[in-house]
Amino acid sequence: MDLSVTLALSSPTEHGEQLRRRQHSLSELTYARDEDATKLETTRARLLNVLKRHEDLKERLSRDSDKLIFERLQKEFEAARVAQTEEISIDDEQWNDGLLATIREKVHIEAERKAMVNLANVPTDSQFQSRTTYRIRNKVIYCLDGARIGIQYETFFAGEPCEIYHCVLESKSFLEKMTVTEHTLPFFLPIREVETEHLSSNAIRFIDHLEEILQSYIDRREQVRLIKELYGNQIGELFHSLPYTLIEFTLEDFECKVTVSIRYSDLILTLPSQARVLAWPLRSAKRISAADRRAQPVPSRLSYAESALKTLSLPEAYAEIVLELPRALKQMFYSQESD
């Protein structure tokens, strides 16, 4: 028996009770939606507070002990550069385990010779007075005092130099494995994990992988800086993780709010592995009917924008998204109106 027959057979009292139950159910649904919206705003406010505290913590950590280490190592590396008698440029084929073994042997022999000089009046050897450094791509290998090897990483963006980072390796003897004793890498990059995974088994891989991680971090960071610089007046809220492996921002224009979220699954990536772009209709938009304004807005995915983010740099992708956005929204609204 269908609902219309049931209502016809029911008494006026029962009919009224059924209508009241329906109205109550609709009221509960409306209340649930309002409650969800309130919870969403509360969560958003909490997230903003956490992100602010995160930035404050990052600033404090970068301001104190890290800066002291950086200044001391910078002076030591600069002194090693001034004292160098020769810089040898090494290509990828020459940069191998044999060369690294030669450098390790040299720093240990030099450390032993200096120890002997301190114990007795041993004449200096011109062979050991020479200071050779090795340049491989954007890193320079220094022979430091105390049987240590110093790696200086130079980073760039769009051909312009950015930060310089240092990493110092040391071992008790030529035959023992090396360890990282000091470094100036950002604290949120996983140098200890990379050390555990690579340094004892493949030191070349360790040194090169750190270079990849640092340069990729700079690329992602500078891409975000550039869109803020070029399009800051068009961007609403912008959040990112410390290594810039998660980036989110919003655009509010064209009768909608566009939310962009991109993720990098690996620290050496400069293009996102995941991208999600949603267009949320605004309740005040002219195209939105009164009934739709009362309903919970349903977002639409902008596939063209997600493809642009995965294949172009962030500033290029942003320009592409904004250029195509009016056409995409017009098509989206037309499709919704047709439905």
Side-chain angles (χ1 to χ4, degrees), residues 62-73:
S62 301
R63 193 171 53 225
D64 300 329
S65 59
D66 286 353
K67 285 192 175 181
L68 293 176
I69 295 173
F70 174 80
E71 290 172 0
R72 179 168 52 76
L73 286 182

Side-chain angles (χ1 to χ4, degrees), residues 44-61:
R44 187 183 189 81
R46 288 176 178 174
L47 176 61
L48 286 171
N49 186 45
V50 169
L51 289 170
K52 183 179 182 303
R53 291 167 61 190
H54 199 207
E55 288 296 319
D56 293 341
L57 175 62
K58 180 182 71 172
E59 177 62 24
R60 286 202 304 272
L61 289 172

Side-chain angles (χ1 to χ4, degrees), residues 233-244:
N233 60 326
Q234 300 174 6
I235 297 174
E237 301 152 346
L238 190 151
F239 308 113
H240 61 81
S241 60
L242 291 178
Y244 291 83

Side-chain angles (χ1 to χ4, degrees), residues 37 74 143:
Q74 189 178 39
C143 298

